Amino acid sequence: MKRIQYHEYGGPEVMRLEDFEPAPLGAEEVLVRVRAAAANPMDFGIRAGRMKHVTGRRFPRAMGYDFAGVVEAVGDRVTRLRVGDEVLGGTSIKEAGAFADVVVAHEKGIVNKPGNLSFEDAAGIPTVGITALQALMTKGKLQPGQSVFVHSCLGGVGRSAVQLALAHQATVAGSCRATARSEARDLGIDPVVDFDFDPASLAGRFDLVVITAGALPVKAARTILKPGGRIVSILPTPSNLARSALPGPFHTLIARPVTKDLEEVARAAGRGTLRLPIARTVPLSQAIPALTEFERKATGKRGKLIITPGG
């Protein structure tokens, strides 16, 4: 069996497609035959060593977190899933391993895939979907009828937040690059503003501001917030974590693999209320050049890179 892994932290040049043997299953773990896996920007930061305080220094380390596939084996204490189930999910930050023929993951990070959802579409939703849902609901306390502003509304998390908020009967505004305004409007976003918009033009309009990229100043977010509203950033930088510890509207989200949240995201995808564009699909044998381009040229802004075994 093959997977993409690396033997030291670094840039794209450290990635290798190599033979491996999956680790023995723990009691609450599941072995999944991967049918599709999706790349996320975090894959590259982790490979570069930015999370080494979590991932450690044991090598080789595998790459990839989000996947969809078919259950091949389950641990002794696994109760929700059975051999043959079609599933979607994600691995832990420490383990990884989705860019592979098979992957081992904890049961809590895996749910049944809706039957009408392709493996490719399913693979793209776990990380961005859970992050968006927890930003809106867990931290944002969103209620039907409220107004939401999503900064960088066409990124993976931003697009997911928009669709989930609309499905929750909220109204949604957002920011994106000027050339993508029509795409944002088609998604149901109104108004749509440029990244460098004047916050005074939207002063006091929103119950919730979701920051999915680092270009929105906190002062601007406060300006467009209603009294009693909330600001949620998905960027757990030291300064954001420090702000979150202070009284006030600012909250920082560190997304966590909560099974019920992933089930809700999967149901939304099955209903068609959550969809993410796919920019490119490549076989595992050609994935390293595609991942390198995805990282260096930021091609992920046009949609997901999906990796399928075989080829």
Side-chain angles (χ1 to χ4, degrees):
M1 285 177 279
K2 300 282 190 181
R3 74 177 181 185
I4 295 176
Q5 55 189 23
Y6 50 98
H7 296 262
E8 61 181 326
Y9 292 118
E13 70 281 356
V14 304
M15 292 186 288
R16 301 285 184 270
L17 179 61
E18 297 177 330
D19 293 323
F20 84 108
E21 288 295 328
L25 282 185
E28 297 176 344
E29 290 182 324
V30 179
L31 177 69
V32 177
R33 174 68 59 173
V34 177
R35 295 285 298 274
N40 291 294
M42 73 176 191
D43 297 326
F44 312 124
I46 291 169
R47 187 211 59 223
R50 293 175 197 154
M51 292 285 289
K52 66 178 66 174
H53 59 288
V54 174
T55 54
R57 296 182 178 275
R58 292 183 62 183
F59 296 100
R61 282 196 47 76
M63 284 193 67
Y65 296 91
D66 288 355
F67 62 85
V70 179
V71 174
E72 287 208 340
V74 299
D76 293 340
R77 294 206 295 269
V78 171
T79 58
R80 290 187 301 103
L81 303 170
R82 298 180 179 180
V83 172
D85 283 355
E86 295 185 350
V87 297
L88 62 88
T91 72
S92 70
I93 292 292
K94 188 172 184 179
E95 299 303 326
F99 300 163
D101 291 316
V102 297
V103 63
V104 173
H106 196 284
E107 179 189 23
K108 69 181 180 182
I110 305 173
V111 300
N112 289 106
K113 179 183 75 67
N116 63 338
L117 194 65
S118 72
F119 285 106
E120 291 79 6
D121 285 330
I125 66 172
T127 292
V128 295
I130 279 185
T131 302
L133 183 69
Q134 292 178 356
L136 293 170
M137 310 307 296
T138 307
K139 291 289 188 180
K141 311 296 183 185
L142 181 66
Q143 298 297 317
Q146 289 188 326
S147 55
V148 182
F149 183 89
V150 179
H151 177 63
S152 193
C153 61
L154 294 182
V157 176
R159 187 183 293 264
S160 300
V162 167
Q163 294 175 83
L164 293 171
L166 289 170
H168 201 65
Q169 281 119 35
T171 60
V172 182
S175 60
C176 64
R177 62 189 185 281
T179 55
R181 279 191 172 197
S182 62
E183 182 181 357
R185 291 193 190 98
D186 289 344
L187 203 59
I189 302 168
D190 183 34
V192 181
V193 298
D194 296 344
F195 286 129
D196 60 350
F197 73 99
D198 177 6
S201 65
L202 297 176
R205 291 260 311 256
F206 303 101
D207 298 287
L208 174 60
V209 176
V210 179
I211 302 173
T212 71
L216 182 66
V218 175
K219 183 178 179 180
R222 288 179 181 272
T223 298
I224 66 176
L225 196 67
K226 289 181 180 179
R230 287 174 170 250
I231 301 167
V232 178
S233 172
I234 69 164
L235 308 170
T237 63
S239 58
N240 282 345
L241 292 171
R243 281 192 195 97
S244 295
L246 299 172
F250 194 92
H251 304 268
T252 301
L253 172 70
I254 300 175
R256 303 189 186 280
V258 178
T259 305
K260 68 177 181 60
D261 290 346
L262 186 55
E263 288 174 336
E264 183 171 345
V265 166
R267 285 193 297 269
R271 290 192 300 265
T273 54
L274 175 61
R275 283 286 187 267
L276 293 169
I278 294 174
R280 186 179 179 191
T281 300
V282 298
L284 184 61
S285 61
Q286 299 173 26
I288 290 177
L291 287 164
T292 300
E293 181 181 14
F294 183 93
E295 178 178 4
R296 288 179 170 166
K297 297 184 179 180
T299 53
K301 293 180 179 179
R302 298 196 300 271
K304 284 285 186 178
L305 169 64
I306 302 296
I307 298 168
T308 57

